[in-house]
Amino acid sequence: MSVNALYRDDFYLSTAEAVVTAIHEDGGIELDQTCFYATSGGQPGDTGFFERADGSKIALGQTRHGATKDIIIHVPQQGEASPAIGEKLVMHVDWPRRYRLMRMHTACHLLSVVCQYPITGAAVGEDESRVDFDMSETIDKDEVTAKMMALVDENHPVFVQWITDEELAANPGIVKSKNVRPPIGLGRVSLVCIGENSAIDSQPCGGTHVSETQEVGAIYIAKIEKKGKENRRFRIRFGTATDEV
Ligand SMILES: [Zn+2]
């Protein structure tokens, strides 16, 4: 059943009420609406718990899409109780974890601004993210860190602009990712924009991001690995390079 994905319009919504609409054989729960992000586009799905009317909790292990993007399935941890269809729950996203993912995800966008090569893959993590670029040049990681931190310190706004699938098709140049498909199929596509009037960047992305670059905080490029002749893997971590020593 199609879900109202509340996080698409509010990345900072960590709790809301919802009604159970379906239960899958594996215990997966579908709701009429959700603030839980489902795994996609390199960003892991949310964890957290549902609070039932009697105050008891259902702990969630992961959130994933069903057969299509408008289906979101919340999978309880093993041994958790199963709610009834029609039951009203209060959703609670594990916010500290999600916020780290939002900061990291935004950092990946900043890296793509600093490093303007086609992206061949990306994975956002709580402690480390990686972005793969189609490039053969050697680049100094401390220089990349300095440029990314300049964008963080300048505190640019980060916002979403919705365009239609047709508008995206008419402007293929805005897609930086080679292998990751932009989030089409919902009729509208979210463009993640950085800077006043998108001056710094705009690219299609269905993930969750912070609303100004300063929120990313201290990040640095821990490693640049050579993965084949024309592929470089960048690893972003929280903190500063001196934390490594
Ligand atoms: Zn993104």
Side-chain angles (χ1 to χ4, degrees):
M1 197 183 285
S2 185
V3 68
N4 179 14
L6 302 169
Y7 62 79
R8 284 199 189 110
D9 295 306
D10 184 359
F11 298 151
Y12 289 83
L13 186 69
S14 65
T15 180
E17 281 189 354
V19 174
V20 177
T21 56
I23 305 284
H24 291 248
E25 236 168 82
D26 67 352
I29 301 163
E30 282 188 60
L31 304 169
D32 62 337
Q33 57 178 18
T34 188
C35 50
F36 277 63
Y37 181 81
T39 301
S40 64
Q43 183 180 330
D46 285 330
T47 57
F49 66 90
F50 292 158
E51 187 185 338
R52 309 179 79 177
D54 66 1
S56 66
K57 292 173 181 177
I58 299 170
L60 300 160
Q62 56 148 314
T63 308
R64 59 176 171 82
H65 283 292
T68 57
K69 283 261 177 171
D70 58 359
I71 296 174
I72 292 177
I73 302 169
H74 312 78
V75 186
Q77 288 179 12
Q78 241 179 347
E80 289 295 292
S82 190
I85 289 172
E87 188 173 331
K88 200 186 254 187
L89 302 164
V90 181
M91 307 174 272
H92 296 271
V93 170
D94 179 344
W95 183 251
R97 175 178 179 272
R98 156 73 97 69
Y99 191 56
R100 282 176 79 84
L101 292 169
M102 281 168 50
R103 290 168 58 204
M104 263 299 189
H105 192 142
T106 309
C108 292
H109 283 257
L110 297 181
L111 174 57
S112 79
V113 170
V114 169
C115 209
Q116 304 229 344
Y117 298 92
I119 294 167
T120 54
V124 179
E126 282 170 79
D127 299 311
E128 183 184 276
S129 296
R130 63 168 177 80
V131 181
D132 293 348
F133 291 96
D134 183 352
M135 62 184 282
S136 50
E137 289 80 354
T138 302
I139 190 166
D140 181 59
K141 64 178 176 10
D142 297 333
E143 237 171 78
V144 176
T145 296
K147 286 180 182 167
M148 288 173 73
M149 281 313 296
L151 290 169
V152 170
D153 293 336
E154 284 158 17
N155 202 21
H156 299 285
V158 182
F159 56 96
V160 167
Q161 228 175 358
W162 291 95
I163 61 170
T164 63
D165 286 2
E166 291 73 29
E167 284 172 306
L168 179 66
N171 294 284
I174 55 177
V175 182
K176 284 186 178 171
S177 189
K178 271 181 106 176
N179 299 340
V180 186
R181 272 192 329 126
I184 49 166
L186 296 165
R188 57 176 197 162
V189 179
S190 54
L191 278 187
V192 174
C193 308
I194 303 175
E196 297 290 344
N197 301 314
S198 316
I200 308 285
D201 192 39
S202 76
Q203 64 172 306
C205 181
T208 61
H209 313 81
V210 294
S211 60
E212 40 187 36
T213 57
Q214 217 167 58
E215 286 180 66
V216 171
I219 41 154
Y220 68 100
I221 302 296
K223 260 182 211 165
I224 301 175
E225 296 159 291
K226 205 171 166 177
K227 294 276 173 189
K229 217 171 150 191
E230 293 186 351
N231 203 34
R232 297 290 180 274
R233 173 165 292 176
F234 287 60
R235 294 188 182 276
I236 309 171
R237 288 187 193 147
F238 284 125
T240 59
T242 52
D243 295 344
E244 295 271 305
V245 198

